[in-house]
Amino acid sequence: MDKINYQKEFEKALEEIKKSDEKPELLLHSCCAPCSSYVIECLNNYFKLTVYYCNPNVFPQLEYEKRKEEQQRFIRTLNNSGSEIGFIEESYDYKDFEDISKGLEGELEGGDRCTKCYRLRLEKTAIKAVELSFDYFCTTLSVSPYKNAQKLNTIGEEFGEKYNIKYLLSDFKKKDGYKKSIELSKKYNFYRQDYCGCQTSLIQSQDRHNMA
């Protein structure tokens, strides 16, 4: 099977949207302010955006709150400059992540534990998007070079079909998206975490630092 160019699919979707007189509403799952920075900048001209902060995978809760506050600060900054970006927080319960990742604690980042984590958050996003009558849903996760865009888009499409809502195909790391997110993080002086989120990724990050 040919590999799908998700950047091209994304550009096709934007071309269609530009033909419309109104911006569609998009619920954007975000993991943190640094990853969302370029993605929001990229999408804001085409969609009415609402950021959905749904990250039960982040450990400990103090870290979760720190990332959430940075996300909210970024949105406030943009809105103070004329944007109208919404924010919704899903309730935090790390047990949600523990339940779906049992037995996979030893896997490296990018394995089955991460796939289950993608599924957990993307399904919650699809359900919330339908509940609130959004036109599209999507995630910022593909901006990271450590996240598999094919997996993310496949999962997004699956839940889009299941819940009858459009998933915006995308690979935000393309066109220097990741590089731009780093530049924007410096511009806004974001807190940049050094691990993905879960307790296992924290331990693995600490191990790497200790070996350096």
Side-chain angles (χ1 to χ4, degrees), residues 6-7 9-10 138-139 142 149 152-153 167-172:
Y6 290 109
Q7 176 63 27
E9 294 299 316
F10 174 67
C138 191
T139 180
S142 70
L152 289 166
N153 283 284
Y167 180 77
L168 183 66
L169 296 173
S170 48
D171 187 355
F172 292 114

Side-chain angles (χ1 to χ4, degrees), residues 167-182:
Y167 180 77
L168 183 66
L169 296 173
S170 48
D171 187 355
F172 292 114
K173 70 177 70 66
K174 300 295 185 183
K175 298 286 183 79
D176 288 329
Y178 179 64
K179 180 182 176 183
K180 290 172 184 173
S181 74
I182 293 174

Side-chain angles (χ1 to χ4, degrees), residues 27 125-134 137 159-160 163-165:
L27 187 65
T125 307
I127 291 169
K128 182 64 69 174
V130 171
E131 176 189 324
L132 298 178
S133 301
F134 281 83
F137 76 108
F159 289 134
Y163 296 104
N164 194 28
I165 184 167

Side-chain angles (χ1 to χ4, degrees), residues 33-61:
C35 284
S36 75
S37 59
Y38 165 70
V39 178
I40 290 175
E41 184 181 78
C42 179
L43 295 177
N44 203 22
N45 290 328
Y46 301 94
F47 297 93
K48 294 177 184 176
L49 289 177
T50 296
V51 169
Y52 183 47
Y53 194 77
C54 174
N55 298 296
N57 59 305
V58 177
F59 178 91
Q61 186 165 0

Side-chain angles (χ1 to χ4, degrees), residues 26-30 49-55 64 68 71-72 75 85-91 128-129 131-132 134:
L26 186 149
L27 187 65
L28 179 66
H29 165 262
S30 177
L49 289 177
T50 296
V51 169
Y52 183 47
Y53 194 77
C54 174
N55 298 296
Y64 169 90
K68 181 187 75 173
Q71 181 72 78
Q72 290 176 309
I75 292 170
I85 298 163
F87 179 83
I88 298 171
E89 179 190 5
E90 186 54 70
S91 58
K128 182 64 69 174
E131 176 189 324
L132 298 178
F134 281 83

